[in-house]
Every structure is written in C-alpha cells, then in structure tokens.
Amino acid sequence: MDKLIQITSGRGPLECQWVVAKVLKIFLEEAKNNRIDYEIIHRENGDENLTLKSVTLLLKSKNVNEFLKEWLGSICWTGKSTFRKLHKRSNWFIGVFELAGLEKISFNEKDIQFQTTRSQGSGGQNVNKVNTAVRATHIPTGQSVFVQDSRSQLENKKLSVERLKEKVLEQNIIQLQKRMQETWNNHLQVQRGNPVRTFSGTDFKKNYQEKTFKKQRSQLKNELKNYRNDLN
C-alpha cells in the first residue's frame, strides 16, 4: 500500500521549520525500523540552513496505516527558540497530513516512441549520412527530447531515455507541487492543541507518558515513607 505524506510547518515561523527538519529525521528512522520503504518526493527548504518548510514522502508497506496512526495530526515541540533567545513562546506546532488522491506517476520505457533521423550540424548541414540522431517521445505525457550527441544511434537512444525520464519526472513534480499546494492551503494554519506527539528539548526527546507515572510512583513512595516515620 502506498501513501503520500506531507510534513509541513504551515504558516509557522522559522522555529516550526526547524521542527519539521527534526521530525523528518525521527519519522524516517521509525519508518526504517518498521520496515516501511520511503521515498522523498519533494522538499521545500526553510529560511535557514537545516530547516524545512515542508517535505512530501511516498511510503510503501502493508503496515503503513498502523504506522501512521501515531503520526497523522499536529506535532508539538516544547522548548525555547534557538533563533530568538528572548521569545516567550515555548510550544511550536507542525502538521503531518496524508495527501489523499495523489498518485506518483511512474515512467516506463515501453511508453516511449523512438524516431531516428540524420544528425544536423550548424546551419542545417548533415553531420553524417546515416540516421544516428534520436527523437524520443513519452506517449502518456507528450514530452519529447532530441539527442544527437553521439555518432552511435544506440548511444543516442540510451541518452534520450535518460533525458526523457528526467524531463517527465520534472514535469510530474511540477504537477504534484500544484496539487500539493491545493491540499496545503487547507492546512496553512496548523491546529494547535491535542498533538498526537510531543517532543521537547534541543535533543528532541519524545515525551513519554510513562515518565509521568514514574514520577507519581516516586512521589507516593516518599509520602508512604514519611507516613510510616510519623507512625513510629
């Protein structure tokens, strides 16, 4: 099962862009640990080094739905800004959303139509008298390239496939970006409160609920100890 996921800072400030980069690292580590294949489809760099405004990933796994239960929604990082030392805000929110209805367009060499012709030199003069130049057209998209780098038709054909693939995938990215923008506009204001996950500190540790229980148990033990001392 394939899923397209976007991790975004929404309209959040630079601190949220920093959180996106941090969350991405943890997200990919957990995906790897859960044997989920992933591919980064697109990323939008933030306003500073090591920050990201958004990143879009393709996830592939039978267990991807179970994995995403712990991720989809608002993510909160609690800590002081590393960019604005005097800023009073300590809770920063980003969003993890599924891009429903978006599909990654594949590239298949079987969809290419080849035409051979003579290579042309400057001024339209023939470079040679054999058909070594290649025009390759990707039928589903209509994208095409013309290659005459080599005197070998086979080499030109190989080059045409590589260049056509880059061109088609580049066009796919542009289309994907447009559709992502439409989806992203619905999440410009990332919801604050009720985060599915909370991290804290510059080391970006996950806040586990068990820590609270441990603190409570320790407090109860101390109270019980003091109570026994009072009885004695």
Side-chain angles (χ1 to χ4, degrees):
M1 181 178 293
D2 295 358
K3 292 284 186 178
L4 272 172
I5 303 300
Q6 186 181 56
I7 305 175
T8 175
S9 61
R11 278 184 172 172
L14 183 57
E15 289 82 1
C16 294
Q17 299 174 19
W18 178 80
V19 175
V20 169
K22 289 290 188 177
V23 165
L24 174 62
K25 181 178 179 181
I26 296 174
F27 186 93
L28 295 182
E29 287 176 353
E30 292 194 10
K32 185 177 180 180
N33 292 337
N34 284 273
R35 297 181 179 179
I36 294 176
D37 295 328
Y38 62 84
E39 179 181 351
I40 296 179
I41 302 298
H42 173 71
R43 68 170 69 201
E44 183 178 0
N45 292 329
D47 297 323
E48 294 286 347
N49 290 335
L50 304 179
T51 66
L52 290 170
K53 291 183 178 179
S54 70
V55 60
T56 303
L57 306 117
L58 176 67
L59 304 181
K60 297 181 180 181
S61 174
K62 294 181 180 179
N63 304 319
V64 66
N65 285 332
E66 192 68 25
F67 171 74
L68 290 176
K69 285 181 180 179
E70 298 184 2
W71 280 104
L72 293 180
S74 295
I75 306 292
C76 176
W77 175 71
T78 302
K80 293 298 181 181
S81 170
T82 57
F83 303 98
R84 296 177 286 178
K85 301 294 184 181
L86 301 179
H87 202 285
K88 295 182 179 180
R89 181 175 167 185
S90 58
N91 291 326
W92 311 89
F93 291 88
I94 67 168
V96 179
F97 305 106
E98 179 182 352
L99 301 182
L102 297 183
E103 297 180 358
K104 179 175 179 286
I105 303 175
S106 60
F107 180 87
N108 194 324
E109 291 188 24
K110 294 181 180 179
D111 296 327
I112 300 176
Q113 182 182 69
F114 296 98
Q115 291 178 309
T116 59
T117 184
R118 294 179 181 178
S119 296
Q120 299 294 315
S122 59
Q125 295 179 348
N126 292 332
V127 174
N128 52 49
K129 296 182 180 181
V130 293
N131 295 341
T132 58
V134 175
R135 179 176 297 279
T137 303
H138 186 248
I139 303 301
T141 61
Q143 297 290 328
S144 65
V145 294
F146 180 77
V147 180
Q148 58 176 5
D149 298 43
S150 173
R151 291 183 177 272
S152 166
Q153 183 185 115
L154 181 60
E155 287 299 320
N156 285 332
K157 188 174 181 180
K158 290 180 180 179
L159 287 173
S160 70
V161 172
E162 294 175 3
R163 293 176 186 176
L164 186 59
K165 182 178 181 179
E166 292 177 0
K167 191 172 183 178
V168 170
L169 293 182
E170 181 181 355
Q171 187 65 30
N172 291 343
I173 290 295
I174 293 174
Q175 295 300 320
L176 181 59
Q177 286 175 331
K178 290 180 179 179
R179 297 187 66 184
M180 282 193 306
Q181 185 65 38
E182 296 173 0
T183 304
W184 188 64
N185 286 336
N186 297 327
H187 306 298
L188 285 178
Q189 185 61 49
V190 173
Q191 180 183 0
R192 297 184 181 182
N194 300 320
V196 294
R197 281 198 172 188
T198 302
F199 299 90
S200 64
T202 55
D203 53 357
F204 225 79
K205 289 184 177 179
K206 179 180 177 182
N207 291 349
Y208 289 96
Q209 188 68 26
E210 289 79 2
K211 292 184 178 180
T212 302
F213 296 149
K214 183 178 180 180
K215 183 178 180 180
Q216 290 177 348
R217 287 196 298 269
S218 179
Q219 184 177 351
L220 289 173
K221 285 182 180 179
N222 290 332
E223 290 179 356
L224 181 60
K225 183 178 180 180
N226 292 334
Y227 176 74
R228 287 175 176 174
N229 290 336
D230 291 340
L231 290 178
N232 294 331

